[in-house]
Amino acid sequence: MVSTDTVTEPSADPTAPARPGYGALLRTPGAWRFLLPGFSARQPFAMLTISIVLLVQHTTGSYGAAGAAAAVTGVSMALCAPLGGRLADRYGQRAVLMPGVLLHVLSGLALTALALAHAPVWALFVAAVPTGASVPQVGPMVRARWGVKLQDSPLTATAAAFESVTDELTFVLGPLLATALCTGVNPAAGLVTEAALTLGGGLLFAAQKDTQPPVAPAGHTRVRAASALRVPGVRVLAMAFLGIGSVFGGMQVSLAAFTESIGEPGLNGVLYGTFAAGNMLSGMVCGALAWRASPQRRLVVGYTALALTASALWTAHSVLLLAALGLLVGLCVAPALITAYTLVDGLVAPGARTEAFTWLTGAVALGQAAAVTVAGQLEDRFWDGAGFLVPMAGTLLALATLLTLRSRLAGPPRSRTVARGVGHRAPVTVD
C-alpha cells in the first residue's frame, strides 16, 4: 500500500527562500568581508593580457610578438595555477597568496622595464614566465569561500552566477582602464597599474583569514593528494573552458588590430567592454532565474549558442556590426561559465574545489594564450580581422568535445535525509 505521508525536502538553510536570489546571497553572514577585497584583487587579472599586448606591440611594432609574449604569460599561468590551487587547499589561501602577490608584482615590473628598453623578444618571454606563474588566483579562492559558507544551500547556483557577473564586471572595467592608460598616458601605464592593484588588493584579500576554507589536519594530507583533474567531468569542463579562452584571446588581439587599422585605437576598450557587458548582463539574468533544465543540458545549449555566434565574428567589417556581434557572443559566454562552475560542486569533493576551479581558470588562460598567439600571426600575415577565425575554431572544437563526452558531467549520486510527515518520525534517505 502506498503511504499517505507527505515527503518534503527542506533546503539546507531553513530560512532560505524558495527562489534564491542575489539579495539572499549577499546577506550571507561574513560574505562582504571577502567579496570587496576579492573584487579589488581580481581586477588586475582583466588588465594583464591587453596591457602586455599593447605595450609589446608599441615597442616591437608586431602583433605576433605581442601575442606571443601574452601567450607565454597565459601558458605559464595555466600550468602553475592548479598547483597553486592544490597548495591553497592544503596549506591555506593566505600562505599561497602572500608570496605569489610579491613575485607577480616584481616580475611584472621587470617585464615592463625590458619592453621599454627594447630588449630581445626572448628576454620578454623569460620575464613573462614568472609573471604568469604568479598571477593570484583570487576568483577560484572566492568561489571556494562561497562553498564553505553555503555548503549544500540552494544559493550555490546563485553564487556561481554572482561570481561570473563579478568576473565580467572586471572584464568590462579592466580592458577599458588598461587601454585608456596605454593609449592616453603611456604604453607601460597599464602594466604598472596592474602591478599596483595586485599588490594592494591581493594583500588585503589575504588578510581575511577567517573566511578562507579550513585547512585539513596533517593526517588528512594523503586523502587530499589526488588531483581534481582525475575527475572525468572536470577534464570535459576544462576542454569547454579552453574554447571560452579562445574567445577572450582571439577577440583581444583582433579587436586591437581592427581598431588600429581604422585609425581609432581607443575604440578597442569600448568594443571589448561591449562584449564583456553582454557577458555580465546575461550572467545577472542567469543568476536570477530558477532553472528547470538540468545543468548538463543548459551547458550544451548555451555552448552551442556561443559557438554559433563566435563563428560570425570574422564576417564583421564595421564598428557597429562588430559591436553587435561582440555583444551577442558575450551574452552566450556567461551561461556556459556559470553552468560549468555549478557542475563542479557536484563533481569534486569540497577539499579539492580550489584546485578544480583553478584548473578551469587555467584552461581559460591556456586557451587565451593559444588564441592570442594564433590570432596575432593571422593578423600579421593575412587580412584585418583574420584573427576572428580563432574564436570560431576554438568554440566549435570544444563543442564537439562537449557533445561527445557530456555523459561524464554527471556527478556521483548524493544521498540526503529529508523529513517525512510531522513530528518525530524516522528520517527517510532519498536519492
Side-chain angles (χ1 to χ4, degrees):
M1 179 180 295
V2 178
S3 173
T4 58
D5 292 331
T6 300
V7 178
T8 60
E9 297 186 11
S11 60
D13 181 0
T15 63
R19 187 187 181 92
Y22 293 116
L25 179 72
L26 296 178
R27 289 193 296 271
T28 302
W32 286 103
R33 294 178 57 190
F34 62 85
L35 283 181
L36 291 179
F39 178 79
S40 175
R42 73 174 66 180
Q43 183 63 53
F45 178 72
M47 302 174 61
L48 182 60
T49 299
I50 189 65
S51 295
I52 293 175
V53 168
L54 294 176
L55 173 60
V56 177
Q57 193 279 329
H58 174 81
T59 57
T60 65
S62 169
Y63 280 104
V72 172
T73 305
V75 170
S76 179
M77 192 199 85
L79 295 177
C80 295
L83 174 60
R86 294 192 73 185
L87 293 175
D89 284 329
R90 184 173 301 178
Y91 301 109
Q93 295 181 0
R94 176 183 170 87
V96 175
L97 270 175
M98 297 292 285
V101 165
L102 297 177
L103 176 59
H104 181 73
V105 171
L106 293 175
S107 55
L109 293 177
L111 175 59
T112 304
L114 288 170
L116 292 176
H118 298 280
V121 175
W122 66 263
L124 301 181
F125 292 169
V126 171
V129 171
T131 301
S134 57
V135 170
Q137 298 299 312
V138 177
M141 291 182 179
V142 172
R143 286 182 166 90
R145 295 186 187 214
W146 275 124
V148 172
K149 285 287 183 181
L150 300 177
Q151 299 297 330
D152 292 325
S153 166
L155 287 170
T156 300
T158 307
F162 180 81
E163 286 306 307
S164 181
V165 172
T166 303
D167 283 339
E168 295 318 311
L169 179 58
T170 65
F171 277 98
V172 171
L173 300 178
L176 285 172
L177 177 59
T179 302
L181 290 170
C182 292
T183 59
V185 179
N186 186 280
L191 273 180
V192 172
T193 304
E194 189 269 345
L197 290 175
T198 297
L199 181 63
L203 294 181
L204 184 60
F205 181 77
Q208 312 305 312
K209 296 184 294 184
D210 294 342
T211 60
Q212 71 176 354
V215 179
H220 292 269
T221 302
R222 190 172 183 178
V223 177
R224 297 163 58 88
S227 171
L229 196 62
R230 296 182 63 182
V231 179
V234 173
R235 296 197 294 269
V236 176
L237 293 177
M239 292 298 298
F241 275 56
L242 281 171
I244 293 175
S246 74
V247 175
F248 290 141
M251 290 193 69
Q252 284 183 342
V253 172
S254 302
L255 288 176
F258 176 81
T259 54
E260 183 74 25
S261 69
I262 64 174
E264 296 288 347
L267 287 178
N268 177 34
V270 176
L271 288 175
Y272 195 84
T274 301
F275 156 71
N279 199 344
M280 181 179 66
L281 290 174
S282 64
M284 293 175 65
V285 173
C286 285
L289 295 177
W291 295 96
R292 293 184 179 180
S294 68
Q296 291 84 356
R297 182 178 181 182
R298 299 202 314 266
L299 180 59
V300 170
V301 172
Y303 213 96
T304 301
L306 173 61
L308 291 176
T309 53
S311 297
L313 285 171
W314 70 276
T315 64
H317 300 291
S318 69
V319 172
L320 289 179
L321 181 57
L322 192 53
L325 285 173
L327 180 65
L328 289 176
V329 173
L331 289 172
C332 297
V333 169
L337 284 173
I338 292 168
T339 307
Y341 278 123
T342 303
L343 284 168
V344 170
D345 288 326
L347 293 170
V348 182
R353 282 177 183 164
T354 303
E355 184 202 348
F357 291 138
T358 52
W359 275 114
L360 298 187
T361 56
V364 172
L366 187 59
Q368 183 173 329
V372 294
T373 302
V374 177
Q377 294 295 328
L378 292 176
E379 292 291 346
D380 280 347
R381 298 171 182 267
F382 300 100
W383 69 92
D384 294 329
F388 287 122
L389 293 173
V390 174
M392 178 181 72
T395 52
L396 288 176
L397 289 173
L399 177 61
T401 302
L402 184 61
L403 291 173
T404 303
L405 303 177
R406 63 185 181 275
S407 62
R408 300 185 182 183
L409 297 176
R414 290 183 177 183
S415 62
R416 61 187 185 276
T417 302
V418 298
R420 182 178 182 182
V422 179
H424 302 283
R425 297 190 179 189
V428 178
T429 299
V430 298
D431 186 20

